[in-house]
Amino acid sequence: MAKIQDVRKTIEASLGNLTTTRAQELAKGMLDRDAAKEQVAKTAADLMEWSQRNRTRLMEIVRAEVRDQLRQMGVATQDDVNALRKRVRELERASRATGAKRGTTKRTSAATAKAKSAKGGATKTSTKASGAKAPAKKSSTTKRTGATGG
């Protein structure tokens, strides 16, 4: 029965943070009482190494699982976001370069659009001021007049 408890303690130690003191205690429990100190120290060092490897493996397994779950959910990775940022910057640079080549054409277009917008607003205002009525819009909903049922 003592050996099963030793194995259990060893496995628990591999998953947690195993201290040097705890590793030496485990090594003493595993070895004969008359084992040399060097043998206990080597066993303790092996336990520490084993514990660290198992912790690293467990972390890798958890990271891989989280990564897979996020991928399945469609969550973008940092690399995906960085690639999109780079692409947006390149498109912005290309847009600025194209705009600079066109020069005043872009500004003229914007000024023309503003002028047309201003004329359209003035026309609506003058129609209201002249007293002309705009055609009535038909309502898309119908009113029920006291009828019950469907």
Side-chain angles (χ1 to χ4, degrees), residues 104-116:
T104 58
T105 307
K106 194 172 188 179
R107 289 186 192 130
T108 306
S109 298
T112 305
K114 283 184 183 179
K116 286 181 181 178

Side-chain angles (χ1 to χ4, degrees), residues 61-79:
I61 289 168
V62 170
R63 283 185 181 129
E65 182 62 27
V66 169
R67 195 176 310 118
D68 289 345
Q69 292 294 321
L70 290 173
R71 189 178 311 121
Q72 287 176 10
M73 291 178 4
V75 176
T77 65
Q78 188 66 44
D79 290 340

Side-chain angles (χ1 to χ4, degrees), residues 31-44:
L31 300 173
D32 294 333
R33 294 187 185 268
D34 55 344
K37 286 188 176 186
E38 294 83 25
Q39 189 178 6
V40 172
K42 179 168 179 359
T43 303

Side-chain angles (χ1 to χ4, degrees), residues 77-95:
T77 65
Q78 188 66 44
D79 290 340
D80 294 337
V81 172
N82 290 339
L84 287 172
R85 284 182 179 150
K86 182 179 177 184
R87 185 168 178 216
V88 167
R89 275 188 237 115
E90 290 170 356
L91 290 171
E92 287 174 341
R93 281 188 207 118
S95 175

Side-chain angles (χ1 to χ4, degrees), residues 13-145:
S14 73
L15 297 176
N17 252 346
L18 183 63
T19 63
T20 307
T21 306
R22 182 73 178 126
Q24 287 177 350
E25 289 173 7
L26 286 170
K28 285 178 187 176
M30 290 179 182
L31 300 173
D32 294 333
R33 294 187 185 268
D34 55 344
K37 286 188 176 186
E38 294 83 25
Q39 189 178 6
V40 172
K42 179 168 179 359
T43 303
D46 289 345
L47 285 172
M48 292 287 291
E49 182 183 327
W50 183 69
S51 175
Q52 180 60 39
R53 268 195 326 264
N54 284 342
R55 236 185 347 268
T56 302
R57 283 188 208 136
L58 181 62
M59 286 181 0
E60 288 171 2
I61 289 168
V62 170
R63 283 185 181 129
E65 182 62 27
V66 169
R67 195 176 310 118
D68 289 345
Q69 292 294 321
L70 290 173
R71 189 178 311 121
Q72 287 176 10
M73 291 178 4
V75 176
T77 65
Q78 188 66 44
D79 290 340
D80 294 337
V81 172
N82 290 339
L84 287 172
R85 284 182 179 150
K86 182 179 177 184
R87 185 168 178 216
V88 167
R89 275 188 237 115
E90 290 170 356
L91 290 171
E92 287 174 341
R93 281 188 207 118
S95 175
R96 280 189 221 119
T98 305
K101 288 178 185 176
R102 289 185 188 166
T104 58
T105 307
K106 194 172 188 179
R107 289 186 192 130
T108 306
S109 298
T112 305
K114 283 184 183 179
K116 286 181 181 178
S117 174
K119 286 182 181 178
T123 305
K124 289 179 185 174
T125 307
S126 63
T127 304
K128 288 181 183 177
S130 66
K133 292 185 178 179
K137 293 183 180 178
K138 292 185 180 180
S139 174
S140 62
T141 59
T142 57
K143 293 184 182 178
R144 295 182 187 216
T145 55

